[in-house]
Amino acid sequence: MTFLENIVGTGNDFLWTWVVPWLLIGAGIFFGIRTVLVQIRMVPDMFKAVVERPNGTGRDEDEDYGGISAFKAFTISAASRVGTGNIAGVAVAISLGGPGSVFWMWIIAILGGATAFIESTLAQLWKVRDGDAYRGGPAYYMKRGLGWGPLGVIFSIAIAFTFGFVYNAFQTNAIADSLSTSMDNDSFAFKAIVGVVIAAISGLIIFGGVQRIANMTQLIVPFMAGAYLIVGLFVVVTNLDAVPAMFEAIIGHALGFKEIAGAALGTAMMQGIQRGLFSNEAGEGSAPNAAATATVSHPVKQGLVQTLGVYFDTLVVCTITAFIILLGSEVNYGEEAEGVSLTQTALSSEVGDWGIHFVAFILFFLAFSSILGNYYLAEANVEYLSRSKVVLVVFRLVVLFFVWFGAVGTLPLVFSLADTGAGTMVVLNIIAIVPLSGVAIKLLKNYNEQRRKGVDPVFHRDMLPEAKNVECWDGSDPVTRRSVEDRQILRDDATPDKP
């Protein structure tokens, strides 16, 4: 294990020092400028888009519309985002990189908001029909938008391996770790049993398809994340006097004004970016797979929804974890990676021993929902590679093996493999969305023009004839039918003023 950890770690050092951070930062700045800071100025539209139903109202879906709602697509992507990365990943970042790593998490989330908008908007444009639903993602816009089919194949393999195998192993690893701390049992047998139980429950759901996954995640994610945030806010409120000093440590260490023993400035930056990406996945090309499943009237709407997902994940959930750790525990920075047990210890010091069990309970459900979300993202890409049912069944069985393996594997190796997979996906995805970004900008312009006219934005592919190989958006989808009121507004707008 140690030999393999060293090999993977050496490759990650290069990838995450010289390649990935600069790609993410550069892409975020580039897209932010091109969209005129869409990730900031259109926050109100994000909240409106996330609650919109396929029929453009607040009512439940009509059978005619097919697909799944924007909110369900949001919860699928949130399920893969909001999980162990928010609780265990933040703990690892702080234990290795110091408090300054939190600042870099925030920066990468704000910059990544623009990147998330671009990639998810493109995924909506080049989605394809899958029965009464949709599927799509980076592999589809790489092939259909760029004509780079081989790149799409490589990306599909990378995400299937990373999300289907490694990320799911990490989720189970965190569950087993938290339960071991809660039950005071760190034996191999205990963790192996935990792995078997999680794999068995996961199997019952993932063999049920995307609708079952969506239904589960839309129940689990909001409730568990809400409970966790309430407890976290309680810790902050009861330690208000220490909050200014905490912010001073975060900002001072991040910008090099304040040295933290064992955690250098560069380490803080790298850990913040790594764990920020692992948590919110902006630019990684994972969330677009979920974004493509949504039934919306305009591609931009799902781009805005996924940007909101980045903010909720990092600026809210990750931040609460960081505050719990920094306000509730003494950390020996830069010595060794500490995972969920650090968060548990910090919370218990503030609320009592029940905090250990509370984190284990919350983490179990968040990590379990992440397994479901991760699996769906991986499955979408396996189906891009092959529509064979035999291949899909074999893939599902291998996924369940890795779900079990994660319970007994070591944390450093699981993290290293996750970083390798994530870094590879970032490189491939950024290579694709930079040349395609002009299409997303035109879609944003089209969306804003319709909003200025006072109508609910609807997109048909003849509005953007230069975009080739667009399968959907031909006007046949019921969701793209305008209301009577909007049609009248457009007719009035097109009628010239009489002298």
Side-chain angles (χ1 to χ4, degrees):
M1 284 286 189
T2 303
F3 176 71
L4 183 58
E5 288 172 16
N6 290 336
I7 292 177
V8 177
T10 300
N12 283 341
D13 287 342
F14 173 79
L15 189 64
W16 283 94
T17 301
W18 303 107
V19 182
V20 175
W22 307 113
L23 271 180
L24 288 174
I25 293 172
I29 293 173
F30 175 70
F31 295 140
I33 293 174
R34 293 209 67 188
T35 60
V36 196
L37 298 179
V38 64
Q39 73 270 40
I40 295 174
R41 65 184 176 87
M42 296 189 70
V43 169
D45 287 71
M46 297 176 195
F47 284 99
K48 181 179 179 180
V50 78
V51 298
E52 184 175 284
R53 298 294 184 178
N55 53 16
T57 74
R59 299 187 298 273
D60 289 335
E61 296 98 318
D62 186 300
E63 288 182 348
D64 292 340
Y65 290 88
I68 64 176
S69 68
F71 181 72
K72 282 188 177 181
F74 171 81
T75 57
I76 289 177
S77 59
S80 67
R81 284 181 174 131
V82 180
T84 54
N86 302 83
I87 300 176
V90 173
V92 170
I94 293 175
S95 62
L96 291 178
S101 59
V102 178
F103 175 85
W104 292 108
M105 278 190 207
W106 294 338
I107 294 300
I108 205 64
I110 295 172
L111 290 176
T115 306
F117 170 81
I118 294 292
E119 63 182 358
S120 292
T121 299
L122 294 173
Q124 264 289 320
L125 178 66
W126 276 292
K127 66 185 179 182
V128 299
R129 279 283 185 186
D130 184 16
D132 61 349
Y134 303 102
R135 57 186 169 90
Y140 294 83
Y141 55 66
M142 288 172 182
K143 180 179 180 179
R144 291 171 172 265
L146 288 173
W148 297 354
L151 187 67
V153 171
I154 296 172
F155 182 88
S156 291
I157 295 172
I159 190 173
F161 173 79
T162 303
F163 277 74
F165 305 154
V166 182
Y167 273 18
N168 277 341
F170 173 70
Q171 304 298 332
T172 321
N173 184 279
I175 292 174
D177 187 25
S178 66
L179 290 176
S180 294
T181 302
S182 179
M183 306 294 288
D184 195 24
N185 187 339
D186 195 36
S187 67
F188 178 89
F190 176 78
K191 291 184 175 180
I193 292 172
V194 170
V196 169
V197 172
I198 297 171
I201 299 173
S202 300
L204 292 175
I205 297 174
I206 66 176
F207 276 89
V210 62
Q211 283 290 357
R212 185 176 295 179
I213 293 172
N215 291 335
M216 286 294 295
T217 56
Q218 76 167 347
L219 291 174
I220 294 174
V221 174
F223 179 76
M224 291 301 165
Y228 182 66
L229 292 177
I230 290 172
V231 174
L233 288 173
F234 172 79
V235 172
V236 174
V237 171
T238 55
N239 288 274
L240 280 178
D241 58 327
V243 169
M246 177 188 68
F247 275 104
E248 181 183 352
I250 291 173
I251 297 173
H253 180 230
L255 302 180
F257 302 144
K258 189 174 183 179
E259 291 297 322
I260 301 293
L265 174 61
T267 305
M269 183 176 180
M270 186 176 74
Q271 283 296 323
I273 293 175
Q274 276 181 301
R275 299 305 147 222
L277 172 66
F278 179 67
S279 180
N280 65 51
E281 302 170 15
E284 192 175 0
S286 52
N289 293 274
T293 66
T295 302
V296 292
S297 66
H298 199 289
V300 165
K301 290 183 178 181
Q302 193 55 207
L304 294 172
V305 167
Q306 296 304 326
T307 302
L308 184 64
V310 170
Y311 290 166
F312 175 72
D313 175 271
T314 304
L315 300 184
V316 179
V317 185
C318 283
T319 297
I320 284 294
T321 298
F323 288 176
I324 290 173
I325 293 172
L326 295 175
L327 292 172
S329 64
E330 293 290 334
V331 185
N332 295 318
Y333 302 115
E335 293 187 0
E336 61 179 21
E338 295 187 62
V340 66
S341 58
L342 176 59
T343 307
Q344 288 177 295
T345 302
L347 185 59
S348 66
S349 69
E350 293 297 317
V351 301
D353 289 342
W354 69 268
I356 294 176
H357 308 299
F358 175 79
V359 172
F361 178 78
I362 294 294
L363 183 69
F364 176 86
F365 284 100
L366 288 181
F368 180 68
S369 70
S370 287
I371 290 173
L372 302 182
N374 289 344
Y375 167 76
Y376 172 72
L377 301 182
E379 181 197 79
N381 285 272
V382 170
E383 291 183 332
Y384 174 82
L385 297 170
S386 172
R387 300 292 288 176
S388 167
K389 291 185 177 180
V390 174
V391 170
L392 185 59
V393 169
V394 171
F395 175 73
R396 286 172 172 173
L397 293 175
V398 177
V399 167
L400 295 179
F401 167 77
F402 271 87
V403 168
W404 172 84
F405 172 76
V408 297
T410 62
L411 180 63
L413 177 59
V414 173
F415 252 122
S416 294
L417 289 173
D419 287 337
T420 301
T424 302
M425 289 169 59
V426 167
V427 173
L428 297 176
N429 189 49
I430 296 297
I431 287 174
I433 63 177
V434 167
L436 286 175
S437 61
V439 176
I441 303 302
K442 290 179 181 179
L443 287 169
L444 178 60
K445 180 180 179 182
N446 177 272
Y447 175 91
N448 286 329
E449 286 176 349
Q450 294 187 54
R451 284 298 305 273
R452 281 193 290 270
K453 292 178 181 178
V455 300
D456 180 43
V458 169
F459 176 75
H460 294 166
R461 63 191 183 194
D462 57 4
M463 296 177 178
L464 196 65
E466 60 268 38
K468 306 301 181 183
N469 303 313
V470 177
E471 177 179 312
C472 302
W473 305 106
D474 58 358
S476 61
D477 296 340
V479 72
T480 60
R481 298 172 190 163
R482 293 194 185 277
S483 67
V484 175
E485 293 82 2
D486 282 358
R487 289 199 297 268
Q488 184 60 51
I489 291 173
L490 291 175
R491 280 196 295 268
D492 292 345
D493 186 71
T495 302
D497 295 333
K498 295 182 180 180

